[in-house]
Amino acid sequence: QGEELIDLRYNSYINDGREGYPGYDHALYVRMGSAQFNFLEQPIHQFMDYLSKFAEMKSTYDMARQAALESAQQLGQAATKMHFDVVIETPVVLFPENHQHASDVVVAHLGEIWASNTFVDESDGCINTIKAGLRAINLTSKFNIAQQLQTLPIVDDIDLNLDIKIPQQESKTRPGVDICGSIKDVTMRLTERQYVFLMDAINMFSR
């Protein structure tokens, strides 16, 4: 969905004293569009069984984790500044609801993942200030009732926001990572058919 699947840009900058240096050494810009899927129980269960096999690959996971830790340590020693601005549209999933009408469906918009950062000079040094979150999560039913399409929300516009502060240098006055999170109040308004669908979905995923 949308005009393009992905827009990816990466730039590097050299702080050589000339004009044009933005205050960071690397910049990553990502915009990713959304996809739409129809949920079918049997293929999803087969896919989940396939993914479960990766749980047995613990040795590979341990090697990858160690490599990631070493890379993070090297980046920390280099003291480079990476600026990023990322927005990823998550998939839209259609769940058929075939109790009464073949075209009845529940639409799950899984939201939009976003993250960006700035570098702020404070009294105790430079702080990498990151804002990130998951926004606009909603679940909507589209049922045909008395030959008319009835569209009703089940869960409407859930937002999760994170504010993260990471000192660029070691500081005695603040923690290595400071995270503050908030989530919008979750309200559910259910008709009987919506309630039946949710119970069926829970049972389906638990099988």
Side-chain angles (χ1 to χ4, degrees):
Q1 294 184 337
E3 297 180 356
E4 55 192 8
L5 177 60
I6 185 170
D7 181 5
L8 175 63
R9 307 173 202 170
Y10 179 82
N11 294 302
S12 293
Y13 303 93
I14 299 176
N15 185 10
D16 55 3
R18 291 182 292 183
E19 293 184 2
Y21 179 70
Y24 43 80
D25 305 298
H26 309 282
L28 176 66
Y29 176 93
V30 178
R31 293 293 183 273
M32 184 176 293
S34 179
Q36 181 170 293
F37 299 97
N38 288 308
F39 183 92
L40 298 175
E41 182 176 357
Q42 184 176 358
I44 290 296
H45 280 302
Q46 291 174 347
F47 180 66
M48 296 300 290
D49 289 341
Y50 172 76
L51 290 180
S52 68
K53 298 183 185 300
F54 286 94
E56 302 171 3
M57 301 173 62
K58 187 174 186 305
S59 60
T60 304
Y61 166 77
D62 290 340
M63 292 174 60
R65 182 179 62 177
Q66 184 62 34
L69 289 173
E70 292 175 357
S71 298
Q73 292 172 354
Q74 292 174 358
L75 287 173
Q77 293 171 356
T80 58
K81 295 180 180 179
M82 166 69 82
H83 168 68
F84 53 85
D85 183 2
V86 178
V87 177
I88 299 175
E89 298 278 355
T90 58
V92 177
V93 184
L94 306 181
F95 295 88
E97 203 277 348
N98 298 321
H99 288 301
Q100 298 185 24
H101 197 282
S103 62
D104 288 348
V105 67
V106 172
V107 182
H109 291 268
L110 303 181
E112 183 180 81
I113 301 170
W114 63 276
S116 64
N117 73 326
T118 57
F119 294 93
V120 180
D121 290 323
E122 298 191 4
S123 59
D124 56 348
C126 182
I127 307 299
N128 185 3
T129 303
I130 302 171
K131 293 185 178 294
L134 183 60
R135 61 194 173 202
I137 306 170
N138 61 75
L139 192 64
T140 305
S141 64
K142 296 184 177 182
F143 296 152
N144 288 274
I145 298 176
Q147 297 183 344
Q148 290 186 345
L149 179 63
Q150 181 187 73
T151 301
L152 292 174
I154 298 176
V155 177
D156 197 17
D157 286 338
I158 299 175
D159 296 331
L160 171 65
N161 296 299
L162 296 173
D163 290 321
I164 306 170
K165 294 184 178 181
I166 305 175
Q168 288 293 102
Q169 300 87 21
E170 291 187 8
S171 173
K172 296 181 179 179
T173 59
R174 66 172 71 231
V177 180
D178 184 6
I179 302 175
C180 180
S182 63
I183 186 169
K184 184 179 177 181
D185 292 341
V186 179
T187 302
M188 299 184 70
R189 301 176 292 272
L190 299 179
T191 64
E192 182 178 353
R193 284 194 63 190
Q194 290 174 330
Y195 174 79
V196 170
F197 164 79
L198 289 178
M199 293 300 101
D200 288 344
I202 292 172
N203 291 333
M204 180 172 55
F205 281 109
S206 63
R207 286 198 288 267

